[in-house]
Amino acid sequence: MSDLPTLHMLHTCPFCWKIRSINDHLGINYQKIQVNAMKTKKELSFTDGWGKVPVWTETNGEIVVDSTPIMKHIDSTYNNGSLWSTDDEKRRDEWMEWVDSKMSKATIPILYGTLFSALKTTTRVSKLETFGFFSKRIYAWAGFPIMWGIIAKKRVKKDGRKPKQLWHDLLTEFTNEFRGKPFFGGEKPDFVDLAAFGYMRSISPFPQFSQLEEHHEGINWYKRVENTLVTN
Ligand SMILES: N[C@@H](CCC(=O)N[C@@H](CS)C(=O)NCC(=O)O)C(=O)O
């Protein structure tokens, strides 16, 4: 047990950035625990077979897994559920599903979709994440052909669009849904804004983020959400 709730995370995991974003928006005091990227299963063995980050642990020992349920838990525990609450539940649920299925799938192509970007990303990941001495070097050199050659290439091919185009289309689709308001949630960001923001923010440590910054409406919305963060 700990004095503060804890977040087991990987620095570059898009799902963890969703939790970090809602916490930064609400100003929640918590402890981040970086797991070793090569030993997630072992270090997360306390999750009864879930084995993935993010994992949220309350001070009373309660464990919550999976990023959207964790966001809901944090919102209801520390914020009376007001980010999740809406008068149009159908719209919220549809768009939350859209964010979790579409945006989550766009992160790998932009980071690893070309050989050059995969090389840049894996080198950066090996610096940001916690690895053992040897696994860091193995990851930096062996990680990129795996991510590029196997995972990202398949996704890019299946989608047919260039990763930057995919992001621009998603940001257009998303911001068009604002109906003239500054946020999806209207005058202030809601749950859906913060989840989408989290996915986009997960690209921010990488040079490919500049490709997303070229989307005018998208980056303006991103900055508006960023301005609401009380901690980071
Ligand atoms: N649906 C989960 C996905 C979590 C997830 O896939 N996390 C990845 C890191 S980005 C992970 O921990 N992978 C380790 C593994 O699957 O062994 C969520 O939204 O939290």
Side-chain angles (χ1 to χ4, degrees):
M1 284 200 205
S2 138
D3 291 347
L4 291 173
T6 60
L7 176 67
H8 282 80
M9 55 169 263
L10 285 166
H11 193 82
T12 54
C13 164
F15 310 102
C16 299
W17 280 101
K18 287 165 67 185
I19 313 306
R20 297 171 67 176
S21 299
I22 193 172
N23 283 353
D24 290 341
H25 175 76
L26 296 175
I28 289 173
N29 201 4
Y30 69 107
Q31 193 194 339
K32 297 190 190 99
I33 301 176
Q34 290 262 7
V35 304
N36 180 324
M38 293 289 193
K39 293 187 187 153
T40 48
K41 288 274 175 292
K42 193 171 158 214
E43 293 191 8
L44 303 171
S45 57
F46 67 95
T47 60
D48 279 345
W50 174 257
K52 297 180 198 175
V53 288
V55 176
W56 182 257
T57 309
E58 282 298 341
T59 48
N60 65 5
E62 183 190 357
I63 293 167
V64 192
V65 297
D66 207 357
S67 57
T68 295
I70 298 172
M71 285 180 73
K72 283 186 194 165
H73 168 87
I74 291 171
D75 182 43
S76 72
T77 310
Y78 300 98
N79 188 44
N80 296 320
S82 50
L83 286 168
W84 182 246
S85 137
T86 171
D87 44 22
D88 191 345
E89 292 183 357
K90 189 168 165 280
R91 174 176 179 260
R92 176 201 64 200
D93 292 350
E94 267 174 31
W95 279 90
M96 200 48 224
E97 163 70 28
W98 181 91
V99 167
D100 269 344
S101 59
K102 300 279 172 75
M103 280 201 170
S104 64
K105 291 203 182 70
T107 59
I108 287 195
I110 193 95
L111 294 179
Y112 300 96
T114 67
L115 187 57
F116 185 59
S117 63
L119 182 56
K120 277 193 295 192
T121 303
T122 33
T123 313
R124 182 107 184 89
V125 168
S126 70
K127 291 198 178 111
L128 289 170
E129 297 293 5
T130 310
F131 289 98
F133 180 80
F134 289 110
S135 50
K136 187 196 240 31
R137 279 149 186 84
I138 293 167
Y139 180 81
W141 289 105
F144 94 88
I146 295 172
M147 291 305 292
W148 171 70
I150 302 169
I151 305 169
K153 229 166 134 184
K154 232 188 234 164
R155 282 211 192 158
V156 173
K157 198 169 161 207
K158 198 168 155 213
D159 185 79
R161 282 170 289 183
K162 290 237 172 346
K164 175 179 164 184
Q165 189 58 46
L166 168 61
W167 264 101
H168 281 219
D169 290 351
L170 292 175
L171 288 171
T172 301
E173 207 181 328
F174 186 56
T175 52
N176 278 349
E177 177 56 27
F178 293 4
R179 304 165 180 177
K181 297 268 167 61
F183 300 102
F184 177 88
E187 298 306 326
K188 36 183 202 201
D190 72 359
F191 199 96
V192 179
D193 284 291
L194 287 160
F197 174 78
Y199 284 120
M200 186 160 165
R201 199 178 176 203
S202 74
I203 316 294
S204 68
F206 299 96
Q208 289 92 326
F209 193 66
S210 62
Q211 297 180 28
L212 311 191
E213 287 177 314
E214 287 170 31
H215 190 280
H216 189 69
E217 291 294 322
I219 195 64
N220 285 346
W221 158 78
Y222 181 89
K223 286 187 180 145
R224 283 193 294 273
V225 180
E226 202 174 33
N227 283 336
T228 70
L229 306 182
V230 266
T231 50
N232 61 45

